[in-house]
Amino acid sequence: MLVKIVERVKEFSLPGKAGLVVILVVLLVAILAPYISIHPHNISSGPPLVPPGGGHPLGTDELGIDLWAQICYGARVSLLVGFGTALLAALGGGLIGIVSGYLGGWPDKVLMRLIDIMIVLPDLPVMIVLAAFFGPSLLNIILVLALFSWVFPARIVRSQMLMLKERSYIKSAETYGAGVWYLMWKHFLPEVFPLVAVNMIRLSGRAIVAEAGLSFLGLGDPTSKSWGLIIHHATNFKGIYYTDFWKWWLLYPWLALIIMVISLAFISRELERMVDPRMGR
């Protein structure tokens, strides 16, 4: 299994390999946050608004909290929200797509109309309302983001199912008495999993940006120290753009967010090319 993964990674283009390296570095930073951050991420450890250097590699914020420690722990929040949302949305949307495509008839029509409604809804305003209603916690944010993300894998999996169920080996299995669960585990899931995996990577980047947006608007978990929340506190500081504070307080979390999302986009592009070789032509 490991050999196959390594062989697949070797097929990545240079941007894809760079994106994979960045995500692995972010993952290590999130795991090793207590060991690589000298100072705590939630209490003051020095004078306020200290520029980068000395005991604070990326400087401090207005409360004297080390910015490097906040970014290290913020990586945990971004990964948790991104992959947690993607996992819930991909599993839920994938199962709905399988059921809709295989059964057809009125269940398919009902589910497709629901998907159409979810697509035309303005997701950001509704997410803001729901996040404000349910309260600022990471679990609520993940659930709200997953609620607006499952439609994309559902549509893709449904379209794949419409082709799969007409294939001869599926018809033969049904003739010999194969049930829905047997077909799902033995035939449907192995066929649609690559598509779901690609969507998970894409949804992870989307969820990370959405969480940062909600935190920027003050609707994120105030105890999480996410990258969006750091940017929220920085932009709310009076005169931030009339001073040099933005050069570290605002710039570094913004760069971390942008680099991570771009890296996920590169990886998603490489996986799409592997799933659909026509993209590489």
Side-chain angles (χ1 to χ4, degrees), residues 110 133 205 208 223 232 258:
V110 171
F133 179 77
I208 290 171
T223 63
H232 168 72
I258 292 298

Side-chain angles (χ1 to χ4, degrees), residues 53-269:
H56 301 280
L58 299 184
T60 62
D61 62 10
E62 87 281 19
L63 299 177
I65 303 175
D66 185 69
L67 193 59
W68 166 246
Q70 294 184 59
I71 290 178
C72 290
Y73 280 88
R76 292 183 169 186
V77 177
S78 294
L79 290 173
L80 176 62
V81 171
F83 293 127
T85 301
L87 184 62
L88 282 178
L91 289 179
L95 290 175
I96 291 173
I98 290 175
V99 172
S100 177
Y102 181 72
L103 294 181
W106 68 264
D108 180 46
K109 292 181 180 179
V110 171
L111 290 173
M112 285 302 99
R113 296 297 78 75
L114 177 60
I115 289 176
D116 292 339
I117 293 172
M118 294 296 296
I119 289 177
V120 300
L121 281 177
D123 53 354
L124 182 58
V126 179
M127 282 193 293
I128 291 174
V129 173
L130 291 177
F133 179 77
F134 289 113
S137 73
L138 286 181
L139 178 59
N140 291 339
I141 290 176
I142 291 174
L143 293 176
V144 169
L145 294 178
L147 180 64
F148 284 89
S149 302
W150 65 270
V151 295
F152 302 105
R155 292 190 67 182
I156 293 175
V157 170
R158 173 189 175 270
S159 63
Q160 186 74 4
M161 283 297 304
L162 293 177
M163 295 184 295
L164 281 176
K165 71 178 185 178
E166 299 299 330
R167 293 184 177 177
S168 58
Y169 67 90
I170 298 294
K171 296 294 186 181
S172 299
E174 291 174 339
T175 302
Y176 284 100
V180 175
W181 288 107
Y182 177 85
L183 293 173
M184 181 179 295
W185 289 108
K186 290 293 184 177
H187 299 291
F188 297 155
L189 287 179
E191 289 287 344
V192 302
F193 178 76
L195 295 173
V196 174
V198 172
N199 271 270
M200 284 183 63
I201 301 299
R202 187 186 298 116
L203 290 175
S204 297
R206 183 176 181 272
I208 290 171
V209 173
E211 184 278 331
L214 292 176
S215 296
F216 174 76
L217 295 173
L219 297 173
D221 188 345
T223 63
S224 66
K225 287 296 181 182
S226 69
W227 294 339
L229 198 63
I230 299 173
I231 297 174
H232 168 72
H233 290 314
T235 54
N236 281 345
F237 185 79
K238 293 183 178 180
I240 181 68
Y241 297 110
Y242 297 100
T243 64
D244 291 334
F245 304 153
W246 68 269
K247 293 181 180 180
W248 65 89
W249 191 7
L250 184 61
L251 181 62
Y252 291 132
W254 178 80
L255 283 176
L257 182 65
I258 292 298
I259 291 173
M260 185 172 180
V261 173
I262 292 176
S263 299
L264 288 172
F266 284 151
I267 296 173
S268 175
R269 177 70 177 180

Side-chain angles (χ1 to χ4, degrees), residues 9-61:
V9 171
K10 288 181 179 179
E11 297 177 7
F12 279 21
S13 64
L14 182 59
K17 292 178 180 178
L20 187 60
V21 170
V22 169
I23 296 303
L24 290 176
V25 169
V26 173
L27 182 62
L28 288 175
V29 167
I31 295 174
L32 302 176
Y35 306 101
I36 62 177
S37 56
I38 305 173
H39 304 287
H41 70 288
N42 52 2
I43 59 175
S44 176
S45 57
L49 301 172
V50 172
H56 301 280
L58 299 184
T60 62
D61 62 10

